[in-house]
Amino acid sequence: MNEYSNIEEFAEGSKINASKNQQDDSKMFIGGLSWDTSKKDLTEYLSRFGEVVDCMIKTDPVTGRSGGFGFVLFKDAASVDKVLELKEHKLDDFLVYKTQFVSNCI
């Protein structure tokens, strides 16, 4: 059993931010998103690789418009490997790029 067991409803990004001072092998940066991609869209797409614990799309604080990137936290680090194994990801007709999250920027 890991720290993400018994997941309850939480504020967007709270689980990702809770580990911001740690390198978390289950966390990913997702870039190249359409401005129209929603948290729901991104979560549904990434769920095919494993259970998503938290997902957030960064937005402009003034306009509320998507910044075209976000972060995801999977329950298991193996899900990150599955995402990285696939060469291309397309969501909302945009080619999405991804990387394992290794810095403490959020």
Side-chain angles (χ1 to χ4, degrees), residues 10 35 38 55 62 102 104:
F10 53 88
W35 288 340
S38 69
C55 179
V62 176
V102 293
N104 299 321

Side-chain angles (χ1 to χ4, degrees), residues 1-7 51 75-76:
M1 192 172 263
N2 68 27
E3 65 184 293
Y4 304 121
S5 298
N6 297 325
I7 299 163
E51 184 178 339
K75 182 175 181 180
D76 298 307

Side-chain angles (χ1 to χ4, degrees), residues 12-56:
E12 179 178 341
S14 64
K15 296 285 184 183
I16 295 171
N17 286 329
S19 64
K20 76 178 191 176
N21 294 322
Q22 306 170 27
Q23 180 174 340
D24 193 327
D25 294 338
S26 300
K27 194 184 305 184
M28 293 190 78
F29 169 83
I30 308 292
L33 297 174
S34 162
W35 288 340
D36 297 323
T37 300
S38 69
K39 175 185 172 182
K40 180 180 182 239
D41 296 336
L42 185 58
T43 301
E44 284 178 2
Y45 177 78
L46 293 172
S47 290
R48 68 183 71 183
F49 301 99
E51 184 178 339
V52 174
V53 174
D54 195 2
C55 179
M56 64 187 295

Side-chain angles (χ1 to χ4, degrees), residues 48-95:
R48 68 183 71 183
F49 301 99
E51 184 178 339
V52 174
V53 174
D54 195 2
C55 179
M56 64 187 295
I57 295 178
K58 296 302 272 186
T59 57
D60 181 292
V62 176
T63 65
R65 189 174 190 181
S66 169
F69 69 97
F71 300 90
V72 65
L73 181 63
F74 287 103
K75 182 175 181 180
D76 298 307
S79 300
V80 171
D81 295 333
K82 290 176 186 175
V83 174
L84 293 173
E85 285 173 6
L86 196 61
K87 184 176 178 168
E88 289 186 351
H89 294 271
K90 274 195 146 182
L91 184 59
D92 294 330
D93 294 325
F94 275 67
L95 187 60

